[in-house]
């Protein structure tokens, strides 16, 4: 079973696999590797994913979801602006995770929407690989925090994928480039996608990729270019911000114009009967503030890597938004060299993910000489007295990483301790992202300050944190009850899994139908063969009955009714039973007249063992 | 050590007989984990080289297709290895590890500082009020002196003479003076 690599993107998603030592993206029926990350929920319960959902978004604005990656693992309070931008109606009753209202249907979470995209990619893999993929490496923006990573893993689980590893997107791109070019040295990967921006500094040395630093912004990307251009077009056309459908139409129109401006000096946007011409220079001026925001992250990453721009040997561009000429010029100036663009910026992340997936099989040619060492993007810390953060894992630490801290109690007989874990690099807890509150309960009753509670924080190779605690004097394992601040609970995931199993019934039906057809085909073949050799054994009128049932079965096999196929197969068995009986009797007579019992057994379709038994 | 699956005697992280990953050593001494000499004078490149050698054998990527118990051990191994590298690439942590067996100060804020040292700092602050910038200047000088002192202590120790009793105190002083360098000049100046 081959492992697959998946790039679950804001705008487009891809699946790739290593075949005969080379990574390639799997294509859809129109030979396109890109699956637009767009999902539409129909009133009848069906789900439309991909190009159709994206292109028809303007006709069904209230039931179509795009760019949901922006909402993964976030709290409703954090993404009001994003929801307004995409005109999504958030379910206000939920505080821990985002839920979008869909008319005539239960609200959906971004995790479920992403799972629909992943299901389509999984189906594509099954089709291309002639079977279930072994496991999947799924890429995430390097700057994704713990909750965003967990949400991505949850989506994969709901889609029925076994996640082998979450891989940072720039790192995936570096693998694809490094292995292709057999480079050694220090790379900068500049990854500007539809909704996220990452920059990573990596060192490739003797087959080991060491990520030195990473920085970014999980809310910066091509979507922002579209928005800026859209507002400009509306203002120029003298139009107001209007209804949802028009908004979707506008987004599609400006996105097309943005693409044109990659090669053309000007483009025209037709909207609401007006045609607005935008020049490259105007576009550049509109997006310059967004592009310049990426510079701060680049400088931070260089600083964390303790390097200056002139120490970077090569700069790699990743993500569809790096096709924008201003972005290319800006990155070129920032690092003082012309960036690499040899690999398709849309595909490079998926290709790298497939290579890592192949390495993780343990039997790949690459796995012996290649090793990937990634880092955690943001510091992890605990809230201590006064709301101040005490960092216990600094950002850009190589993962996996573990750190232990010892705590004690403040009052006599205290049996529980609350820990608040935050992620981020700000001094005050409230300025960072709350990851979760961990309640350590079941502590032994001891005077204040005596218990020594050792808490181990472990960040695994996916960049996800787990916590274990133990009281050292008594050896009592304090129970850690993790209350994630944002995201779905285990129960909620279970429920979604069950929902997806309901949908999976269709898959089971398909399998049973195929099995019924195979069985029917076997019976038909056997009957035809018997008739052709032993037509003399038929009674008058018997052939007509058999033929009637056989042809009914053949017709049924071309349809989808599994029960009918099974019933007719059974019927055919029944009507041919006397004929079959006569054949057996005839063969037995032949055997008794001097033939070898083993051969008779074979003719009778008995197993050799039985035949030998008779002989003995 | 005896392999937990095939009972063969094992030396490295991986059993030669059955290729099972062994648990990381109970004592997570960074020098032992990385297999580098117990020295203060240790080049970063040597630490990196040793790190790469072990990481290639124990990293979770090498065990993704192995049983859960080995995946878990691989995680523990690599986490310990990453911490060991972090300790050994930092001269102050490395020094403290050699002197006290721990990378971080044993008490919060380190051992109590000598009163004469603190009195000296007080004098520096007074000077800084007269001549802004004097504090960080003096702190910088003292930092250099302390580094030389640590270096001398360890040169002797590595040659088998001298001991490390002063190291913890000198590291605490070092931490204090480097904090002063970053401190903004006296207010009002």
């Amino acid at each position: 079973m081959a492992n697959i690599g998946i790039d679950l993107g804001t705008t487009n998603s891809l699946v790739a696999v290593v075949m005969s030592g080379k990574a390639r993206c799997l294509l859809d029926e129109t030979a396109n590797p890109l699956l637009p990350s767009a999902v539409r929920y129909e009133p009848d319960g069906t789900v439309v994913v991909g190009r159709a959902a994206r292109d028809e978004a303007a006709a069904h604005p209230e039931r179509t979801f795009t760019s949901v990656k922006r909402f993964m693992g976030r709290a409703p309070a954090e993404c009001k602006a994003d929801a307004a931008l995409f005109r999504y109606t958030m379910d206000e009753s939920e505080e821990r995770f985002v839920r979008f209202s869909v008319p005539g249907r239960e609200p959906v979470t971004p995790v479920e929407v992403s799972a629909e995209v992943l299901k389509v990619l999984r189906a594509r893999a099954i089709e291309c690989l002639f079977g279930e993929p072994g496991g999947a490496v799924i890429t995430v923006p390097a700057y994704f925090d713990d909750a965003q990573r967990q949400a991505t893993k949850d989506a994969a689980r709901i889609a029925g994928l076994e996640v082998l590893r979450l891989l940072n997107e720039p790192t995936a791109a570096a693998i694809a480039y490094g292995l292709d070019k057999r480079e050694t040295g220090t790379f900068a990967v500049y990854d500007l996608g539809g909704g996220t921006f990452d920059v990573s500094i990596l060192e490739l040395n003797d087959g080991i990729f060491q990520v030195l630093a990473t920085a970014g912004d999980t809310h910066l990307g091509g979507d922002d270019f579209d928005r800026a251009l859209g507002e400009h077009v509306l203002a120029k056309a003298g139009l107001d911000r209007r209804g949802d459908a028009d908004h979707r139409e506008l987004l599609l129109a400006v996105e097309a114009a943005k693409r044109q401006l990659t090669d053309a000096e000007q483009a025209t946007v037709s909207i609401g009967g007006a045609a607005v011409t935008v020049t490259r220079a105007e576009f550049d001026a509109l997006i310059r503030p967004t592009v310049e925001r990426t510079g701060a992250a680049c400088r931070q990453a260089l600083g964390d890597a303790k390097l200056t721009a002139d120490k970077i040997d090569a700069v790699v561009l990743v993500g569809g938004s790096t096709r924008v000429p201003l972005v290319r010029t800006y990155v070129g100036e920032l690092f003082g060299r012309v960036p690499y663009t040899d690999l398709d910026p849309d595909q490079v992340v998926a290709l790298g993910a497939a290579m890592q997936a192949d390495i993780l099989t343990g039997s790949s040619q690459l796995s012996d000489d290649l090793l990937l060492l990634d880092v955690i993007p943001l510091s992890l810390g605990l809230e201590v007295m006064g709301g101040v953060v005490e960092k216990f894992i600094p950002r850009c630490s190589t993962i996996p990483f573990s750190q232990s801290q010892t705590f004690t109690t403040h009052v006599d007989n205290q049996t529980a301790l609350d820990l608040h874990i935050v992620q981020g690099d700000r001094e005050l807890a409230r300025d960072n992202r709350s990851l979760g509150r961990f309640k350590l309960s079941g502590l032994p009753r001891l005077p204040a300050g005596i218990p020594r509670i050792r808490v181990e924080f472990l960040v695994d190779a996916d960049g996800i944190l787990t916590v274990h605690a133990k009281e050292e004097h008594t050896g009592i394992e304090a129970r850690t009850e993790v209350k994630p601040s944002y995201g779905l609970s285990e129960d909620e995931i279970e429920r979604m899994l069950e929902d997806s199993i309901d949908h999976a019934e269709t898959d089971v039906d398909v399998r049973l139908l195929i099995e019924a057809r195979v069985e029917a085909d076997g019976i038909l073949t056997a009957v035809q063969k018997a008739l052709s050799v032993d037509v003399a054994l038929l009674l008058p009128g018997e052939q007509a009955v058999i033929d009637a049932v056989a042809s009914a079965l053949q017709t049924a096999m071309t349809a989808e009714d599994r029960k009918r196929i099974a019933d007719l197969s059974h019927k055919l068995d029944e009507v041919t039973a006397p004929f079959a009986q006569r054949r057996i009797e005839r063969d037995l007579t032949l055997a008794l007249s001097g033939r070898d019992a083993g051969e008779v057994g074979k003719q009778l379709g008995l197993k050799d063992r039985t035949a030998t038994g008779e002989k003995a | 050590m005896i392999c937990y699956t095939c009972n063969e005697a094992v030396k490295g992280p991986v059993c030669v007989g059955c290729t099972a990953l062994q648990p990381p050593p109970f004592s997570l001494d960074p020098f032992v984990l990385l297999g580098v000499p117990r020295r203060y004078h240790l080049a970063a490149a040597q630490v990196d080289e040793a790190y790469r050698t072990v990481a290639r054998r124990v990293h979770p990527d090498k065990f993704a297709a192995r049983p859960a118990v080995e995946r878990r051990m691989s995680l523990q191994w690599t986490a310990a290895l990453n911490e060991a590298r972090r300790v050994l690439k930092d001269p102050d942590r490395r020094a403290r590890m050699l002197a006290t067996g721990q990378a971080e100060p044993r008490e919060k804020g380190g051992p109590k500082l000598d009163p004469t040292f603190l009195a000296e700092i007080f004098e520096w602050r007074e000077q800084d009020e007269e001549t802004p910038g004097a504090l960080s200047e003096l702190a910088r000088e003292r930092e250099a002196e302390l580094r030389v002192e640590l270096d001398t202590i360890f040169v002797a120790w590595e040659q088998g003479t001298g001991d490390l009793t002063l190291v913890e105190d000198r590291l605490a002083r070092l931490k204090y003076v480097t904090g002063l360098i970053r401190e903004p000049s006296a207010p009002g100046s």
Side-chain angles (χ1 to χ4, degrees), chain A residues 8-9 37 39 41 65-76 79 83 88-91 94 96-102 107-118 144 148 151-152 154-156 158 487-488 493 496:
Chain A
L8 181 60
S37 307
V39 176
Y41 292 90
F65 299 94
T66 57
S67 295
V68 294
K69 191 172 178 178
R70 284 183 170 239
F71 301 89
M72 291 287 270
R74 305 186 76 216
C79 35
Y88 298 150
T89 316
M90 278 197 295
D91 178 359
E94 186 53 71
R96 274 183 308 120
F97 52 84
V98 174
R99 242 175 5 175
F100 304 124
S101 305
V102 190
V108 292
T109 61
V111 167
E112 290 166 289
V113 177
S114 299
E116 293 299 339
V117 174
L118 290 171
F144 253 21
Q148 291 169 306
T152 306
D154 292 344
I158 294 169
L488 302 161
I493 297 291
M496 288 174 187

Side-chain angles (χ1 to χ4, degrees), chain A residues 165 205-206 208 210 356 360-361 367-373 394 398-403 458 460-461 468, chain B residues 49 51-53 55-57 59-65 72 74-76 78-80 82-83 85-86 108:
Chain A
R165 184 64 45 82
N205 181 354
D206 194 20
I208 294 194
Q210 168 76 63
Q356 173 71 353
L360 295 184
T361 58
S367 45
D368 282 344
D369 41 53
L370 195 90
L371 188 62
L372 195 64
L373 302 166
T398 303
I399 52 174
F401 195 99
S402 77
Q403 195 64 270
L458 175 69
D460 66 15
H468 297 274
Chain B
E49 179 65 38
Y51 171 85
R52 281 198 289 266
T53 308
R56 275 184 198 284
R57 310 190 65 187
H59 194 271
D61 284 4
K62 306 288 176 191
F63 294 89
R72 178 84 200 156
S74 144
L75 198 60
Q76 289 170 344
T78 314
N82 283 330
E83 176 62 11
R85 178 173 64 164
R86 191 172 78 109
K108 279 253 157 82

Side-chain angles (χ1 to χ4, degrees), chain A residues 135-317:
Chain A
V137 168
I138 300 183
T139 60
V140 289
Y143 220 55
F144 253 21
D145 65 28
D146 193 274
Q148 291 169 306
R149 285 167 195 267
Q150 193 62 59
T152 306
K153 264 191 138 171
D154 292 344
R157 250 179 90 192
I158 294 169
L161 287 165
E162 189 209 336
V163 181
L164 295 171
R165 184 64 45 82
L166 296 179
L167 177 62
N168 291 332
E169 285 159 10
T171 312
I175 300 181
Y177 262 98
L179 295 182
D180 246 31
K181 303 174 93 69
R182 298 274 154 199
E183 290 271 1
T184 299
T186 311
F187 289 77
V189 182
Y190 181 101
D191 180 355
L192 187 62
T196 59
F197 169 66
D198 280 327
V199 56
S200 288
I201 313 289
L202 304 94
E203 186 184 66
L204 177 53
N205 181 354
D206 194 20
I208 294 194
F209 276 92
Q210 168 76 63
V211 180
L212 300 175
T214 194
D217 187 330
T218 53
H219 288 84
L220 195 160
D223 286 352
D224 299 301
F225 298 169
D226 297 350
R227 175 170 39 176
L229 185 54
E231 278 168 9
H232 172 77
V233 167
L234 284 181
K236 235 178 150 181
L239 294 168
D240 208 1
R241 279 176 170 274
R242 294 158 312 148
D244 290 351
D246 293 338
H247 182 75
R248 299 284 184 127
E249 198 187 341
L250 175 70
L251 283 183
L252 279 176
V254 296
E255 210 229 319
K258 175 182 73 177
R259 285 168 186 277
Q260 281 173 34
L261 286 169
T262 296
D263 298 312
E265 284 303 316
Q266 60 176 51
T268 304
V269 184
S270 303
I271 188 84
V276 178
T277 301
V278 184
T279 64
R280 167 88 63 78
E282 280 177 297
F283 179 63
D284 286 355
L286 287 169
I287 64 168
R288 186 171 286 279
T290 311
V291 175
E292 283 177 353
R293 272 169 63 199
T294 66
C298 293
R299 281 185 285 272
Q300 188 198 311
L302 282 170
D304 284 347
K306 299 186 179 68
L307 291 171
T308 46
D310 59 300
K311 293 286 190 299
I312 302 294
D313 297 310
V315 182
V316 171
L317 291 187

Side-chain angles (χ1 to χ4, degrees), chain A residues 10 16 42 70 109 129 132 212 266 272 282 297 306 338 353 358 368 400 436 481 518 529 584:
Chain A
T10 307
E42 296 279 38
R70 284 183 170 239
T109 61
L129 302 172
E132 195 75 45
L212 300 175
Q266 60 176 51
E282 280 177 297
K306 299 186 179 68
V338 179
D358 188 50
D368 282 344
E481 188 187 315
V518 170
K529 200 177 164 202
I584 291 168

Side-chain angles (χ1 to χ4, degrees), chain B:
Chain B
M1 243 179 40
I2 301 295
C3 173
Y4 66 97
T5 57
C6 70
N7 297 324
E8 282 290 320
V10 276
K11 270 181 88 179
V14 174
C15 173
V16 188
C18 68
T19 74
L21 180 65
Q22 305 300 307
F26 182 71
S27 138
L28 297 175
D29 183 304
F31 296 96
V32 175
L33 268 180
L34 290 176
V36 292
R38 293 184 74 84
R39 286 171 61 94
Y40 174 72
H41 296 93
L42 198 57
Q46 193 184 349
V47 175
D48 280 335
E49 179 65 38
Y51 171 85
R52 281 198 289 266
T53 308
V54 190
R56 275 184 198 284
R57 310 190 65 187
V58 303
H59 194 271
D61 284 4
K62 306 288 176 191
F63 294 89
R66 305 279 292 196
V69 57
E70 284 186 63
R71 293 207 302 271
R72 178 84 200 156
M73 284 176 188
S74 144
L75 198 60
Q76 289 170 344
W77 254 109
T78 314
L81 206 57
N82 283 330
E83 176 62 11
R85 178 173 64 164
R86 191 172 78 109
V87 169
L88 294 195
K89 282 185 80 173
D90 178 292
D92 294 351
R93 286 202 177 90
R94 196 162 68 222
R96 190 176 291 110
M97 180 55 80
L98 287 169
T100 71
Q102 280 179 20
E104 305 300 329
R106 274 179 284 198
E107 304 155 49
K108 279 253 157 82
K112 284 216 163 43
L113 288 162
D114 181 34
T116 50
F117 172 75
L118 293 172
E120 206 177 353
I121 306 281
F122 189 74
E123 237 167 72
W124 293 359
R125 287 193 189 279
E126 282 179 344
Q127 286 186 37
D128 194 62
E129 277 182 29
E130 283 164 32
T131 337
L135 179 68
S136 65
E137 183 65 25
L138 287 161
R140 237 182 276 275
E141 277 172 29
R142 180 55 56 88
E143 187 198 5
E145 285 167 23
L146 283 165
R147 293 232 172 269
V148 172
E149 194 185 350
L150 276 171
D151 194 70
T152 315
I153 292 174
F154 278 105
V155 167
W157 181 73
E158 281 159 14
Q159 287 168 350
T161 57
D163 63 68
L164 303 179
T165 43
L166 282 176
V167 169
E168 210 178 353
D169 173 70
R170 295 302 183 262
L171 285 170
R173 290 182 184 202
L174 199 53
K175 194 171 178 221
Y176 200 94
V177 295
T178 47
L180 293 179
I181 297 170
R182 282 197 298 270
E183 209 171 275
S185 238
S189 59

